[in-house]
Amino acid sequence: MVFKSKIKWVALLVLTLSLGSMVAHLSMTKFSSMNLIQYSAKDALSHDFPNIVSPVIRNKRLWGTVRSLESLQPYANPRNSYPVPNENTNGFIFAKIFGGFEKIRSSICDLVTISRLLNATLVIPEIQESTRSKQISYKFKSFSYLYDEEQFIASLKNDVNIVKSLPEHLKAARRSNEFPIFKPKNSASPNFYIKEILPNLKKAKVVGLIITEGGCLQSILPPSMSEFQRLRCRVAFHALQFRSEIQTLGRQMVERLRAWGQPFLSYHPGLVRDTLAYHGCAELFQDVHTELIQYRRAQMIRQGIISDELNVDSHLQRENGSCPLMPEEVGLLLRAMGYPSKTIIYLAGSQTFGGQRLLIPLRAMFANLVDRTSLCSKTELSDLVGPETPLPSDIFQLPRPKSESEIKEEWNRAGPRPRPLPPPPERRIYPHEKEGWYGWITETDKEPNPSPRDLRMQAHRLLWDALDYIISVEADAFFPGFNNDGSGWPDFSGLVMGQRLYERASSRTYRPDRKTIAALFDITRGNMYHPKHDWTFSVKEHLNKSLSEEGLIRQSLLSKPNSFLSHPLPECSCRISSLELTKQIEGKDGRVLYGDEHECPIWMQSAEAVGVRNDDVESAEDDNDVVEQQERNGPDFTTSLTSTIDHDEEWDPND
């Protein structure tokens, strides 16, 4: 009895202590301050990407501006007499634009320029990728799905007369195709429009244009038409503003990237199926992706887009600089430049041909590789798309297996005997082979027509490219995986580089020469992850040169003949006279490549516009670079890159 009473007292004591502890915790909770937890990009993404640390010191060698280009300023205003357009124009021009984000942006700029040239009224163009037939949201029209119509019209009121639609008495005639329709090439000259289009415009009062090649006017115009070039800049960099929902979400994504207190780099792989097929880069991929590229190349040959053979040496194309830099190679280049493994890299591009498998090496080197799905929730992306009607589910179902009786019946109906043995059973198609859009290649040799889901995804890619475009322009550094490809089509990286050059020429925009990069990788192919010191120095030297005048001149030679928006110099820029002027550099055709910019107006000649930076830290770093280069260029440094690297010591991974 005594033992049982002791147990009761112990149990009572434990209950009393537990009750006292609970009362104490409740009291602390009551008197403590409580706040609702709000969404924080820094906290949320640091959970997914733990390698991102607190704010770090900004390394000016990696993130600083290019001093030699600081005198260039954006200035696309008219320089000469430029009258406001008359309301009594020669007629209306309506257009249908086919293609993705890059082709749409370039085509709209050409359309406005042509309307000014012909003194015509431009009807808001129709973007075929975002028409109602693609089952996009009922909230948007074709043009307003991507761009702000009101801003577009208001910004160009002193340049071109723009209307949202044809007058009522002309709409019926358009539906019955009573007006002449032309399909100009992207290299069409101004004389073509003056001699061929203008007479039809004056006669019929309405002319239609179908644009499929990413433009309808040649890139380089005569010097006498420099005002038309500046008009292109005003359209691309001022009038073409994304609709408010896209701009708001894009700014939020930039703020979330900057919430870590670190600079970030934007990288666009440029791995697009059409471009890869055009240049014959199929052998750089594996498995089904090689077949898909070859199939698309065969299509281009039948359509007359390509006059070359179907099978080409992809590795030779890569050495010529015609193929893109693979993500693994870009990661090695950034590491050679000195970017730490914790660098934030934003992956731009609505699609990367080859999938996530190609990005594995880059993610291994730079764990903080993010994209729009990392920065935005599914709700934010769906709100950007708008309300859409649900599509029927497109779930792949395996064919019903045949029974033994059905197989015997087919064998009995096979024909007279003797007959050869039956063929071996076909390879089974597994469900994972039908997960992607490319699943058709496992069953048939002919690519099927796009499904409603495919058409809708093509429209969605315009929005994803618009978000990536905003972030790439605002990034502290930009690295293109593929641009200046020579196909004649505008490319995403080229447009980004052009706008960064226009808005802030001194921004850190890499312009690598893929042919030189391929030669460097061939030298150290067996030692890519542990290169030698001189190889790393050669990479740094080449990429640093690509940031400055040397890279600009090369870009002008390769990119401007195909797309003016990728290199809007010197027409759309001016130069601060207080800084040292550079020597004019002309090409073989007599065209000024660099140094022919006009002097900026007086209101731009201020210290706030550019300023002369005399940072002691940056000067010390520059001195260190000079000392390092002098040591490397001493008596023991040979000019032959190959022989030097062969005799150099192996690079220490921890260096």
Side-chain angles (χ1 to χ4, degrees), residues 126-257:
E126 192 174 277
I127 301 173
Q128 293 302 301
E129 292 291 327
S130 60
T131 54
R132 293 291 176 83
S133 61
K134 305 297 174 67
Q135 302 184 17
I136 65 170
S137 174
Y138 61 87
K139 290 176 57 178
F140 310 107
K141 294 182 180 179
S142 172
F143 188 88
S144 62
Y145 186 72
L146 191 59
Y147 295 110
D148 187 342
E149 284 188 354
E150 301 298 334
Q151 168 71 19
F152 182 70
I153 296 175
S155 298
L156 298 174
K157 63 181 180 180
N158 295 328
D159 298 293
V160 180
N161 290 323
I162 303 176
V163 294
K164 293 185 177 181
S165 61
L166 285 171
E168 293 296 331
H169 66 282
L170 296 176
K171 289 183 179 180
R174 177 189 172 181
R175 285 191 291 266
S176 58
N177 294 327
E178 297 180 6
F179 300 127
I181 297 178
F182 298 87
K183 190 177 180 180
K185 297 183 178 180
N186 60 355
S187 59
S189 65
N191 290 332
F192 167 78
Y193 290 96
I194 294 175
K195 294 180 180 179
E196 300 291 336
I197 307 295
L198 185 57
N200 289 277
L201 179 64
K202 291 181 177 180
K203 181 179 179 180
K205 295 301 180 182
V206 179
V207 165
L209 300 179
I210 297 178
I211 306 175
T212 60
E213 298 183 359
C216 52
L217 183 64
Q218 66 185 31
S219 174
I220 300 178
L221 299 177
S224 59
M225 302 184 68
S226 57
E227 290 298 340
F228 290 92
Q229 298 287 57
R230 280 187 276 274
L231 175 58
R232 277 173 163 173
C233 294
R234 291 197 293 276
V235 178
F237 308 137
H238 298 280
L240 276 181
Q241 300 292 330
F242 301 114
R243 59 181 167 94
S244 58
E245 296 88 351
I246 299 176
Q247 292 192 54
T248 301
L249 184 57
R251 286 194 295 266
Q252 290 177 356
M253 294 171 68
V254 174
E255 291 174 358
R256 291 169 186 175
L257 283 168

Side-chain angles (χ1 to χ4, degrees), residues 530-531 533 650-655:
H530 302 289
H533 289 290
E650 188 169 329
W651 177 48
D652 183 3
N654 298 321
D655 188 0

Side-chain angles (χ1 to χ4, degrees), residues 373-423:
T373 59
S374 305
L375 297 174
C376 302
S377 64
K378 291 183 179 180
T379 303
E380 290 175 323
L381 295 178
S382 61
D383 290 343
L384 190 67
V385 170
E388 295 178 332
T389 56
L391 293 174
S393 59
D394 185 17
I395 302 176
F396 170 72
Q397 296 180 354
L398 291 171
R400 183 182 63 85
K402 297 179 181 179
S403 63
E404 185 176 355
S405 60
E406 290 175 338
I407 295 175
K408 289 182 178 180
E409 185 179 354
E410 289 183 0
W411 172 253
N412 293 331
R413 295 198 310 264
R417 296 170 176 82
R419 53 180 178 266
L421 294 175

Side-chain angles (χ1 to χ4, degrees), residues 3-106:
F3 178 73
K4 290 183 179 180
S5 62
K6 288 183 178 181
I7 293 178
K8 291 180 180 179
W9 282 107
V10 171
L12 182 61
L13 179 62
V14 171
L15 289 175
T16 304
L17 293 175
S18 300
L19 182 62
S21 176
M22 185 180 297
V23 172
H25 281 83
L26 290 175
S27 301
M28 293 173 61
T29 305
K30 179 179 180 180
F31 293 103
S32 61
S33 60
M34 295 193 312
N35 292 317
L36 292 176
I37 299 177
Q38 301 293 334
Y39 174 80
S40 172
K42 183 175 181 180
D43 298 335
L45 286 179
S46 61
H47 178 270
D48 297 331
F49 302 95
N51 291 313
I52 298 179
V53 296
S54 301
V56 297
I57 301 176
R58 189 184 185 96
N59 189 337
K60 294 186 178 180
R61 290 185 183 180
L62 301 177
W63 305 105
T65 58
V66 183
R67 285 187 175 185
S68 59
L69 302 180
E70 287 181 342
S71 61
L72 293 175
Q73 297 297 307
Y75 188 56
N77 294 347
R79 314 288 168 83
N80 303 318
S81 176
Y82 196 80
V84 177
N86 194 339
E87 294 183 359
N88 299 323
T89 60
N90 292 324
F92 296 89
I93 293 179
F94 70 90
K96 294 183 178 181
I97 302 175
F98 292 82
F101 178 86
E102 308 85 15
K103 292 185 177 181
I104 292 170
R105 196 170 183 86
S106 299

Side-chain angles (χ1 to χ4, degrees), residues 224-491:
S224 59
M225 302 184 68
S226 57
E227 290 298 340
F228 290 92
Q229 298 287 57
R230 280 187 276 274
L231 175 58
R232 277 173 163 173
C233 294
R234 291 197 293 276
V235 178
F237 308 137
H238 298 280
L240 276 181
Q241 300 292 330
F242 301 114
R243 59 181 167 94
S244 58
E245 296 88 351
I246 299 176
Q247 292 192 54
T248 301
L249 184 57
R251 286 194 295 266
Q252 290 177 356
M253 294 171 68
V254 174
E255 291 174 358
R256 291 169 186 175
L257 283 168
R258 299 207 184 281
W260 293 304
Q262 298 187 50
F264 69 94
L265 179 143
S266 177
Y267 160 58
H268 185 268
L271 297 172
V272 182
R273 184 186 176 200
D274 285 357
T275 310
L276 295 167
Y278 183 90
H279 293 286
C281 303
E283 296 176 6
L284 302 182
F285 296 82
Q286 296 177 357
D287 305 332
V288 69
H289 296 95
T290 299
E291 300 179 42
L292 290 168
I293 294 175
Q294 287 296 87
Y295 182 89
R296 181 64 183 128
R297 183 173 175 84
Q299 280 185 323
M300 291 182 171
I301 293 175
R302 289 194 297 268
Q303 296 170 359
I305 300 175
I306 302 176
S307 58
D308 202 355
E309 298 180 357
L310 175 62
N311 297 315
V312 295
D313 189 348
S314 298
H315 298 283
L316 182 60
Q317 292 290 92
R318 173 189 162 276
E319 292 177 359
N320 293 333
S322 300
C323 289
L325 297 174
M326 303 304 283
E328 180 183 13
E329 296 175 330
V330 172
L332 292 171
L333 294 175
L334 295 177
R335 198 171 75 167
M337 281 294 295
Y339 287 96
S341 60
K342 298 178 181 179
T343 301
I344 304 172
I345 298 180
Y346 181 83
L347 181 68
S350 58
Q351 57 178 337
T352 300
F353 190 80
Q356 293 293 321
R357 182 177 61 179
L358 290 179
L359 300 174
I360 292 176
L362 181 61
R363 290 187 185 276
M365 287 181 276
F366 297 94
N368 299 326
L369 182 66
V370 299
D371 57 11
R372 66 177 182 279
T373 59
S374 305
L375 297 174
C376 302
S377 64
K378 291 183 179 180
T379 303
E380 290 175 323
L381 295 178
S382 61
D383 290 343
L384 190 67
V385 170
E388 295 178 332
T389 56
L391 293 174
S393 59
D394 185 17
I395 302 176
F396 170 72
Q397 296 180 354
L398 291 171
R400 183 182 63 85
K402 297 179 181 179
S403 63
E404 185 176 355
S405 60
E406 290 175 338
I407 295 175
K408 289 182 178 180
E409 185 179 354
E410 289 183 0
W411 172 253
N412 293 331
R413 295 198 310 264
R417 296 170 176 82
R419 53 180 178 266
L421 294 175
E426 297 180 355
R427 183 181 70 84
R428 181 182 177 185
I429 300 174
Y430 296 94
H432 72 271
E433 296 179 309
K434 294 288 295 183
E435 291 178 357
W437 59 269
Y438 47 79
W440 57 270
I441 205 168
T442 60
E443 291 184 333
T444 177
D445 294 333
K446 184 178 180 182
E447 185 171 358
N449 294 325
S451 65
R453 186 176 299 276
D454 295 333
L455 295 176
R456 179 176 289 184
M457 289 305 300
Q458 290 177 9
H460 291 176
R461 290 193 188 103
L462 299 180
L463 304 179
W464 313 149
D465 282 335
L467 293 175
D468 294 344
Y469 190 85
I470 294 173
I471 295 177
S472 297
V473 171
E474 295 293 330
D476 297 277
F478 178 74
F479 197 102
F482 200 36
N483 70 303
N484 301 336
D485 58 355
S487 65
W489 303 323
D491 57 86

